Amino acid sequence: MTNKTPVLEIKNLCAGVASQEIIQNLSLTIYEGQVHAIMGPNGAGKSTLSHVLTGKPGYEISKGEVLFKGQDLAKLKIEDRANEGLFLIMQYPVEIAGVSFMTFLKHAINKKRAYQGLAPLSAPAFIKLVHEEADKLNISDDMLKRAVNVGFSGGEKKRMETLQMALLKPSLAILDEADSGLDIDALKVVSKGINDLNDGKRALLIITHHQDLLDYIEPDFVHVFANGHIIKTGDKTLAYELEAKGYTDFIKEASCKSC
Amino acid sequence: MQELLKNIVWLEDDNPVLFAWHQKGRAAFKEFPTKKTEAYKYTPVSEVLTPEMLNVKSHVKDDHCDHGAHHLPFDAYEFCFCDGHLHRHFHAGDDIEVLPIDEAVKTNEIGAYFAKIDLAQYPFAALNTAFLKEGLFIRIHKTPQKPIVFLYHNKNRGFKNIRNVIVADKGVKAEWIEMFEGKDEAYFLNIVNEIFVLNEAKLTHHKLQHEGEEAVHIALSDAHVKEGGQYQSYAFEKGGKLVRNETHVMLNQENASARVNAAYHLLRKCHIDTTTNIEHLSENTRSDQLVRGVIDDKGHGVFQGKIHIAPDAQKTEGYQIHKALLLSDEAKVDVKPELEIFADDVKCSHGATSGDLNQDEIFYLESRGIDETSARQVLVNAFLQAAFDDVENPDIKKLYPSD
Ligand SMILES: Nc1ncnc2c1ncn2[C@@H]1O[C@H](COP(=O)(O)OP(=O)(O)OP(=O)(O)O)[C@@H](O)[C@H]1O
Ligand SMILES: [Mg+2]
């Protein structure tokens, strides 16, 4: 495994917004086929990490380096990161009035195909593909016709994010609280969607507050994330330990690594 | 400006009927509106007109006109104007009666449906009357099998003056589409539409304006709506140097209603003015206006929207909303909503917003692999299409921006 290029390599990363450094000396390496889970208290910087990685405007890297499939991520445009295979299920998916999900998905799929040098999908092929994946996630035709995320419930939004992920088949998917707002049945459906994707050729970075999701998607590593970096790494049992004890003890023990 | 007036070569037709109209129009036309003219303060037309643009002689003849440029994706009654000249070899069905306007004014039939505009208030309608010659009178007797389409091709400089009269008879449902196209030549197109929607009739009026960078386009649609009648107007404006699209609707009788929607997309130095005046003159009338503008580069958008509710017009509803996206530092919009309410039992509102594209929306699209330029385009179209959301005919809807 170690002689392969990692999918993601974060080295001593310091990053944040103009007013504040949020990610502090973070290092993390993820290889193909691995599932990493990040758990941490509110405000620890987990979503910030996802924003820095996907290139959200306003989030800057001040120190360190991030390599995505060996390329300097900072040099890639947002859309190129996506087309290279980086995908984020957002904690708060954005509502876009006036653009139907179908149109949006068509743009996204065809841009990725163009990036890979493929011709756009024909209309029937596109519709067939979307419906196949949508069915697996219990997404109705009506939902696909509606404007992107507008008026969708929290759980529905997460299902639509999962659909996009299933269609775009990323090499690294970051799931920022993909499980929040999901009812028990939806959690199963979404987890299944994620597991289907996880064919050994991809990597997952799962940000979650609950060990429930990790019962469905077996993580290789669990990281405790606080104050902008990883303070402890373990296997799945760490998630149970956290669930039982809370974060306080872990944070007390941790050394300070500010930038 | 005096120069402009001096340069006009007035029409003097041999026919006494036309001659009389020309005289009447000429007497009513005092001057080209300037910044000081209240109704034109944001759109001083006289500043962009040149003597050459007022030259009627530059019209080309019928047979020089290439009118095959447009291919409609659906079957329609097509009528074509080239540089302001009506193609007089047209086909009409038995559901519509069609006459060139200069012939129609000599008949009795048009009597009640012509020249109902207050020329003192509308200087360009006065000018239009002074040059009355080209245009169509269409009386829709029965619900037509297919939409009525007017294609206006503009290739040459000069003055193009068009006057149309459309009458939708009792109970008729009809769709009328105007499409304007043009080359980058400096011309002045002055068009007046007189529209009559009779009892329980429904006329949907579509306008797609996509002219060249030097065009000056002044349009007035003056609609009268009788009991239970519906006038629906949709316009998409893109192009031209200076465009004024003015809509005056009179809801004359009970249960008359109007929908006046428009969207404009301004690039370069394009100036587009959308002016509306909806008069509620009777009880239980309703109007809805939704106007959206996207202004880029050095574009200048203008929206003047008036809702007038007469003292007798109780239980009326009038709604108006204008939303603009300003996409560059030099983009500009002037908005002037006006409510004149003389009745007390009414529901009326207006609103205006302006802003930029939402950064989070752009990021969301980019994060799904869509490049910034395409993402912005998607969002601009999504914004504009809201004005055409409720267009019922799917074939026609496709002519407008969509997501
Ligand atoms: N754009 C921003 N401007 C200012 N502060 C920000 C910005 N983005 C994040 N922060 C701050 O950075 C800290 C980390 O936020 P972040 O959203 O990354 O936390 P999180 O770990 O995802 O928390 P949660 O579990 O609640 O989702 C918070 O204190 C937050 O207020
Ligand atoms: Mg978060």
Side-chain angles (χ1 to χ4, degrees), chain A residues 54 56 78-79 82-83 87-88 90 94-100 103-104 107-108 111 149 161 164, chain B residues 358-372 374 378-379 381-383 385 402-403:
Chain A
T54 47
K56 184 168 179 168
I78 305 167
E79 73 265 22
N83 288 324
F87 185 89
L88 169 64
M90 294 191 191
V94 180
E95 301 189 358
I96 305 182
V99 182
S100 75
T103 305
F104 163 64
H107 281 297
K111 287 288 178 189
N149 293 323
E161 296 280 289
Q164 293 167 48
Chain B
N358 182 312
Q359 289 305 318
D360 288 341
E361 294 178 15
I362 295 174
F363 171 66
Y364 190 71
L365 295 173
E366 288 179 296
S367 79
R368 271 39 175 163
I370 300 165
D371 59 281
E372 188 186 346
S374 305
V378 165
L379 296 175
N381 282 338
F383 179 80
Q385 64 92 35
S402 67
D403 71 341

Side-chain angles (χ1 to χ4, degrees), chain B residues 53 60 64-70 81-84 151-158 160 179-189 209-217 238-243 268:
Chain B
M53 289 162 98
V60 290
H64 290 165
C65 187
D66 146 38
H67 61 289
H70 215 286
F81 290 84
C82 280
D83 282 314
L151 302 169
Y152 305 90
H153 299 290
N154 301 294
K155 287 171 77 174
N156 291 289
R157 294 160 199 220
K160 305 152 206 311
M179 302 176 113
F180 295 86
E181 291 179 353
K183 295 259 159 65
D184 288 338
E185 289 288 354
Y187 60 78
F188 170 42
L189 185 144
Q209 187 274 121
H210 196 165
E211 290 170 271
E213 279 180 54
E214 296 300 323
V216 176
H217 172 128
K238 186 180 186 181
K241 179 185 188 127
L242 179 142
V243 176
R268 298 180 290 269

Side-chain angles (χ1 to χ4, degrees), chain A residues 32 39 53 66 69 131 139 154 181 192 208 211-212 225 227:
Chain A
E32 201 176 277
M39 302 183 83
L53 295 178
V66 183
K69 300 203 285 193
H131 281 133
I139 290 167
K192 183 167 182 308
T208 183
Q211 123 278 321
D212 306 20
F225 195 96
N227 303 324

Side-chain angles (χ1 to χ4, degrees), chain A residues 17 19-20 22 40-49 59 91 177 209:
Chain A
V17 292
S19 56
Q20 188 189 351
I22 299 166
N42 293 135
K46 305 179 298 296
S47 294
T48 301
L49 174 63
Y59 291 81
Q91 185 174 4
E177 301 197 17
H209 286 296

Side-chain angles (χ1 to χ4, degrees), chain A residues 1-7 9 29-32 34 69-70:
Chain A
M1 194 186 268
T2 38
N3 54 5
K4 277 195 197 165
T5 313
V7 180
E9 207 176 356
T29 303
I30 301 179
Y31 286 93
E32 201 176 277
Q34 289 184 342
K69 300 203 285 193

Side-chain angles (χ1 to χ4, degrees), chain A residues 55-74:
Chain A
K56 184 168 179 168
Y59 291 81
E60 301 290 338
I61 293 176
S62 53
K63 246 175 69 189
E65 190 179 34
V66 183
L67 299 179
F68 178 58
K69 300 203 285 193
Q71 303 179 65
D72 183 355
L73 197 65

Side-chain angles (χ1 to χ4, degrees), chain B residues 335-354:
Chain B
V335 180
K336 188 178 129 190
E338 249 183 295
L339 301 183
E340 279 180 357
I341 304 178
F342 297 106
D344 44 32
D345 184 10
V346 302
K347 284 187 196 147
C348 218
S349 71
H350 70 87
T353 64
S354 70

